[in-house]
Every structure is written in structure tokens, then in C-alpha cells.
Amino acid sequence: MPKRHAVVVGAGIGGLTAAIALHRRGWHVTVCERAPEPPTTGAGIGLAPNALRALDTVDIDAAHAAGSAVPTTMGLRRSDGQWLTRTDTADMAARYGMPPIAVPRPALAAVLAAALPPEALRYGTAVTAVDDAAGRPTIRTAVGPDLPADLVVAADGIHSPLRRAYFPAHPGLRYIGETAWRTIVDAPDLRIPAMSETWGRGERFGVAPLSDGRLYLYATAVVPAGTRSADHRAELRHRFGSWHDPIPALLDRVGRLDPADVLRNDLYDLAAPLPRMHHGRIAWLGDAAHAMAPNLGQGGCQAIEDAVVLAHLLPAGDSGDSSDSTPAALAAYTAARRDRTDAVRARARRVGRLGALRNPLAVAARDLAVRATPARLALRGMDDLFNGFRLPG
């Protein structure tokens, strides 16, 4: 009996992880990606203990494969540099078995792609439609013959065409009121040992050491959707140049970058949960299923969880079993993942509202409340995220 065939739409972190997990389960896998080649530039991605644990289940040691840079501390600061809360990463490792790490997104994508057969990856292959009407999906692309499949994994991103096609009544995305800048800089001379995020009035600035020794920088500001400046680097200097060290020195490094290396995107999340994360033989994961604000660093982590849980629940691709439990497995996938991912999506939005406060009195009250919370209690509050990954029995 031939192997079951899965077509993954999108070669992002979630799509590649799903392809690996299905490949490990004996499925024949094809990944269709509209981009002409693998990414070589981009920002960083944080991998929390829940995501690292999920990757372990499919034999991907991200910390070893992509390198690791574990900061000594992680915490939250005010714009004058005062720490509001700070946690030793050794305490996090003791509590969760491992600390979070941050890696360059292209490096992680390369590690994941290398775990697949080369023929599984089809770059420059945009999926134009998926016909699921006959009970067995047919995938139509812009460059070749139709692909029949036993399963389609819709990992086609925040603006997912497949989500819009199969859930036309869903309200879709909503602007969360902030724009974001992201980039990577070299600054070994600054010797920055901490992963930190600084909150001001309606503005935030984050610094994360990456596995290759560089630094991932991100910033957000409350602005109307579509607001743009002629020079992102100059706007960052204007907004954050007077904040605490080492932010001004980091902005000097940003000023030396090619303007194209500073990414800017308005931030959106899903306005409401999908009624389910599957339809027929199509399963949605990652941003396509539950786009969330980046305030918890869990967008990519939840996509990784989705991918390994989906493959775990599906029948083995090479079992030779003529019965087909795929529809039941997809229903079980929705049951296993929908509530968790929506809870994380809602929590990320709540945290974002705190970071986006602009009223001076509200900001002062927020900062006081954060400082008054013992570090051990703040860390305990992450248990449901960092210890929340489980493979269904």
C-alpha cells in the first residue's frame, strides 16, 4: 500500500515542523512554498521551553543544531533603565528543565529544512486553491500539475488564503493598535548579558542575544495602522534614542544597516477563534489558525506545538492499514489545540494592552504593580505556557 501523502502549504517554522513530524510518522510529504528560495535574512525567534520540548519529540535539538546563547537574566525595565522585574535564567532552567533561547529565524528554518528529504521542498510553488469537495483534497498550484493528497496542512501564515476560503464568515484579523520594528545587529563589544524588554508610554524596546552572537532587536509603538516614515532607522532613533543604555549604542548599530534590514509590520491578531482548526482533510496551524500578538513570544512556539500534536494524532503514513482514521484524527487535533491556542492568543493581547498604556498615571500604576510582584510569583505565572505542552494520550 502506498504511503499516505500530505501537502504542507507554507515553509515557515510551523509548516516545516509539521512536515518533519509527518515524515517521521512515515508520510510522504510535499511542502509548497511561494517564496522562490529559503530565507537568508530576517529577524530572530524565541524558543521557550514548551517549543524546545515539542521539537525534542521529533528529534530536533534546536539549541544544539542552531547554537544557543543563554542570557544570564531575563526581565522588564523602565525607559530610565530601572528593572521592574528580573529572573535568573538558571532559575528558569531549574523550574522548566531548560531556559528559553533565541535563534536567527533563517538558521532555524535551515535546520528544519535539512531534516527533510530534499525533494520534499518545492520553493517558488504558490498554492492557488485546495479543492476538498470530493473527500480527497486536490491542491492546485501556479506552476505545475495538481497534487492529490490525503491531508493538507494549511501553514500559510497570518493572511492565510485557505482560512479565508474555508471560513468565509469568520471576522478575520484585527489591528491591535501597534506597529513593530525588527532587526539583527552585531555588537560584541557591548557585552550584553541579559534578555530584556523595556516599557515606556505606548512604546517598547526589546533586546535578545542570539545563538550566533548577534543581537535581535525589536520595538513597538502605538500608532494608527498604515503609519510609515521615510527612514525606519531615523524613527527608531527619534523614539528610543534617549532611553537607557545600551539602547542608544544599539541604535547606532541600526543606523549602519541597510534600510531593508529593518523590518516594519503593523501587528494583527485573529479577532476570534476559528470554529475549529480543521475542515474535511485540511488542518490549520500557526498564524493561519490562531494569529496572536508577539507579546508572549509564543506565536512560533504554538505553531511548533500544533505541528507535533497534529502528526502525533494522525495514523502512521506507512502502516498499510486500509482503514482511514484521518478525519477523526483531525477532530481530535481541534479538541487538543483550539482551547490552548486561543487562551494564549487572548493572554498575549492582554499583556500587549499593558505595554501599550500611555496615560502617565496608568503607566505609573502598571510599573508599581510589576515591581511589587515577587519574581518567584511572576515565574510561576509562566507555568501554564512553559509546562503546558503535552502530547495527547
Side-chain angles (χ1 to χ4, degrees):
M1 185 175 180
K3 289 185 176 183
R4 294 183 171 94
H5 181 210
V7 173
V8 180
V9 184
I13 301 305
L16 289 173
T17 304
I20 292 168
L22 288 165
H23 174 63
R24 302 270 200 257
R25 293 276 291 153
W27 286 66
H28 170 58
V29 178
T30 302
V31 182
C32 296
E33 168 56 46
R34 68 170 57 248
E37 58 188 16
T40 56
T41 60
I45 180 172
L47 296 175
N50 54 304
L52 294 171
R53 203 169 289 117
L55 287 169
D56 281 345
T57 68
V58 291
D59 298 323
I60 298 293
D61 183 348
H64 174 75
S68 64
V70 179
T72 56
T73 58
M74 301 177 65
L76 189 63
R77 307 176 80 171
R78 296 193 326 188
S79 59
D80 63 3
Q82 185 178 67
W83 287 95
L84 297 173
T85 182
R86 183 163 38 173
T87 302
D88 289 341
T89 49
D91 293 338
M92 300 186 73
R95 189 174 187 89
Y96 302 115
M98 61 195 75
I101 64 170
V103 300
R105 192 176 288 264
L108 178 59
V111 167
L112 297 175
L116 290 168
E119 65 273 14
L121 294 163
R122 299 190 184 184
Y123 290 97
T125 304
V127 171
T128 57
V130 174
D131 181 1
D132 194 35
R136 188 163 189 252
T138 299
I139 296 86
R140 311 192 193 286
T141 73
V143 296
D146 294 346
L147 297 171
D150 300 287
L151 170 73
V152 176
V153 179
D156 52 344
I158 188 170
H159 298 289
S160 173
L162 290 177
R163 183 183 65 227
R164 294 197 301 269
Y166 280 91
F167 298 100
H170 188 272
L173 300 173
R174 61 181 170 186
Y175 181 52
I176 67 172
E178 295 178 273
T179 196
W181 298 263
R182 294 171 294 142
T183 194
I184 294 176
V185 298
D186 274 308
D189 54 306
L190 297 182
R191 301 180 184 275
I192 296 174
M195 181 183 295
S196 65
E197 185 168 293
T198 301
W199 285 7
R201 292 172 53 188
E203 295 174 328
R204 288 175 283 171
F205 194 98
V207 182
L210 290 174
S211 59
D212 61 2
R214 296 180 294 168
L215 295 165
Y216 170 42
L217 310 181
Y218 61 92
T220 69
V222 176
V223 297
T227 302
R228 290 294 180 269
S229 61
D231 187 337
H232 298 330
R233 300 167 303 172
E235 185 174 1
L236 287 169
R237 166 66 70 182
H238 172 73
R239 288 183 178 275
F240 303 101
S242 64
W243 285 25
H244 66 80
D245 291 333
I247 292 175
L250 290 169
L251 292 173
D252 287 342
R253 304 304 200 279
V254 174
R256 303 170 195 167
L257 298 175
D258 187 299
D261 291 332
V262 181
L263 308 178
R264 180 170 181 173
N265 303 97
D266 289 342
L267 298 179
Y268 292 83
D269 68 2
L270 214 59
L274 291 179
R276 58 192 178 280
M277 291 172 61
H278 73 286
H279 178 96
R281 292 174 177 268
I282 307 172
W284 280 260
L285 62 74
D287 283 345
H290 43 69
M292 60 184 66
N295 304 305
L296 296 173
Q298 280 287 316
C301 297
Q302 291 302 309
I304 290 168
E305 286 192 18
D306 289 343
V308 299
V309 169
L310 174 64
H312 174 75
L313 290 169
L314 285 162
D318 56 359
S319 65
D321 184 359
S322 60
S323 64
D324 191 357
S325 58
T326 298
L330 296 187
Y333 166 68
T334 284
R337 296 298 302 159
R338 184 178 177 273
D339 288 350
R340 173 163 168 80
T341 56
D342 191 56
V344 177
R345 179 189 65 85
R347 182 173 173 180
R349 191 171 181 86
R350 290 195 300 271
V351 171
R353 290 195 185 105
L354 288 176
L357 289 173
R358 290 185 288 178
N359 180 281
L361 293 177
V363 168
R366 174 199 69 193
D367 293 353
L368 181 62
V370 173
R371 287 190 65 193
T373 304
R376 67 182 183 280
L377 293 181
L379 187 58
R380 188 182 303 166
M382 303 302 288
D383 286 357
D384 60 333
L385 289 178
F386 293 171
N387 278 337
F389 167 69
R390 297 285 188 277
L391 285 177

